[in-house]
Amino acid sequence: MSAPGRCGFVAIVGRPNVGKSTLANAMIGTKISIVSRKAQTTRHRIHGVLTRGADQFVFVDTPGFQTRHGGAMNRMMNRVVTQALAEVDVVVHVVEAGKWSSGDAQLLPLLPTSRPVILAVNKVDALRDKNAMFAYVSRITAQFPYAAVVPVSALRDVQLGILLDEIAARLPEGEHLFEADTLTDRPVRFIAAELIREKIFRLVGDELPYGCTVVIEQWEENEEGARIAACVVIERQSHRPILLGAGGLHMKRIATEARQDIVELLGKPVFLDVYIKVRKGWSDREAALRELGYE
Ligand code: GDP
Ligand code: MG
């Protein structure tokens, strides 16, 4: 009998901007999740799958960890986080080397004690005083019984293999849940729409209200390349100039940057057309269903 492989769910948690999305992307190897400076850009729970030898890691990028809201809202959101964490096999708690804020501290009581939690100390490349590392880690590990501690750089791909080893050692033995080449359980169309949305939020996120949805209207693909038409649906005519930018420069940049990411995702040339539609009363529900391909 051959040695059984391992397969399990892994959650990456941490306060905003510690590098959770970057870390997930670096480990999975393809850009799927949404990297952004804004805390709330990852609006969907994204699963990425990595198959490495006999081991399969199913990453659950838990979004929406929030400490800004007060009282009941905070408690409700925290319940969601705690519940999500109780359903995975391994939790990776990401912190930023040398930096510890109230956001980090507020996450500690939400970490499960019934699951192994690995502390990933990210951004070691940016740490000026490497000697301060030991004291920094000691202060954190004194507050929670971490199963392991791994200093990493998600951006520079430092020690990510070691982090994966530590995770793998704690995954349950069992059948793989996904085909070896599955990168995500979401269709590529959906990911493409997410990538376009990411660019929009990056460029005009502060000015544009949330009633902005990206719908893939056309998707033609063969071995040679892909032809994609995406529609940015906005609620009001007054949002159009914000999205366009002076001389349409915003839209050009959004389309150019999204196209580059989609080329990387598909590994072939992409012709991408992005246009704007104003749709009054376009409901979230209707938009969500269309994005998922139900019309
Ligand atoms: P998240 O909010 O936790 O998902 O964080 P992101 O993955 O969006 O990263 C936040 C910022 O930190 C981005 O500007 C990243 O490029 C940067 N970042 C992530 N990992 C590293 C790292 O290892 N080193 C450095 N120097 N920056 C990083
Ligand atoms: Mg993120």
Side-chain angles (χ1 to χ4, degrees), residues 188-194 196 214-220 227-232 262 272 275 290-291 295:
V188 279
R189 284 171 65 123
F190 175 87
I191 299 164
E194 280 288 275
I196 297 167
V214 177
V215 177
I216 302 294
E217 302 257 282
Q218 184 200 4
W219 187 287
E220 282 166 29
R227 177 175 284 269
I228 303 162
C231 176
V232 182
I262 298 169
L272 174 67
Y275 50 94
R290 282 201 72 176
E291 273 177 64
E295 308 203 5

Side-chain angles (χ1 to χ4, degrees), residues 15-22 35-36 122-123 125-126 153-155:
R15 71 159 162 82
N17 278 313
V18 290
K20 299 179 296 297
S21 300
T22 310
V35 184
S36 172
N122 191 30
K123 308 196 189 183
D125 60 289
S153 169
L155 205 60

Side-chain angles (χ1 to χ4, degrees), residues 97-223:
K99 290 192 185 135
W100 182 260
S101 72
S102 59
D104 297 298
Q106 278 166 304
L107 186 51
L108 287 178
L110 305 180
L111 295 176
T113 46
S114 59
R115 294 277 182 275
V117 181
I118 297 171
L119 180 69
V121 185
N122 191 30
K123 308 196 189 183
V124 288
D125 60 289
L127 191 67
R128 263 175 271 127
D129 182 8
K130 308 273 184 222
N131 294 325
M133 189 70 164
F134 184 75
Y136 174 78
V137 168
S138 303
R139 266 205 313 278
I140 300 172
T141 53
Q143 299 174 66
F144 188 86
Y146 291 97
V149 180
V150 188
V152 296
S153 169
L155 205 60
R156 309 247 178 271
D157 197 352
V158 176
Q159 300 228 105
L160 299 186
I162 294 180
L163 178 57
L164 285 169
D165 291 342
E166 293 289 354
I167 298 169
R170 292 165 178 88
L171 292 178
E173 287 181 353
E175 296 287 315
H176 290 185
L177 292 167
F178 294 86
E179 294 296 321
D181 59 359
T182 307
L183 289 168
T184 173
D185 68 349
R186 301 214 182 254
V188 279
R189 284 171 65 123
F190 175 87
I191 299 164
E194 280 288 275
L195 288 168
I196 297 167
R197 184 167 27 225
E198 176 206 1
K199 308 304 172 208
I200 295 170
F201 277 108
R202 256 202 204 167
L203 211 57
V204 292
D206 291 335
E207 298 159 74
L208 202 70
Y210 270 104
C212 164
T213 309
V214 177
V215 177
I216 302 294
E217 302 257 282
Q218 184 200 4
W219 187 287
E220 282 166 29
E221 191 186 347
N222 57 29
E223 293 91 74

